[in-house]
Amino acid sequence: MNKHAYKFEGMMPILPTAITAAYDIDYDGEKRLIDYCLKCGARAIGHLAWASEFAKLSVGQRNAITEVLVQHTAKRVPVFVGVSAPSISISLEYVK
């Protein structure tokens, strides 16, 4: 098997976007969600997909959530991030 290939099995949740009562992104809440998933045995964690309200987030918010996800998992499990957008060119910007 390729050393960079992953076997997709087990729980791989897509996180919701945690929101405060003031409708801001709750980054501490995001970290608690990540910790909960890891505690429950997640084999990978995803974000910014259909369960994540991604269409309502700014580019800056998407970047910040991605950064929190990558930093807080600290390479304990693989992460995957959705890049869905209204156009291919915007999706490619999200990939970068």
Side-chain angles (χ1 to χ4, degrees), residues 5-23:
Y6 293 100
K7 185 174 182 181
F8 291 101
E9 63 180 18
M11 182 177 68
M12 295 182 280
I14 297 171
L15 299 180
T17 302
I19 304 293
T20 68
Y23 302 106

Side-chain angles (χ1 to χ4, degrees), residues 42-92:
R43 302 289 303 261
I45 299 176
H47 214 317
L48 301 177
W50 290 107
S52 306
E53 301 81 32
F54 70 89
K56 295 180 173 45
L57 302 176
S58 70
V59 173
Q61 290 170 319
R62 290 175 71 114
N63 291 341
I65 284 174
T66 300
E67 187 173 319
V68 167
L69 177 62
V70 170
Q71 288 182 356
H72 198 67
T73 55
K75 298 183 181 182
R76 292 176 283 178
V77 296
V79 300
F80 55 100
V81 178
V83 295
S84 294
S87 72
I88 292 172
S89 62
I90 294 171
S91 288
L92 291 172

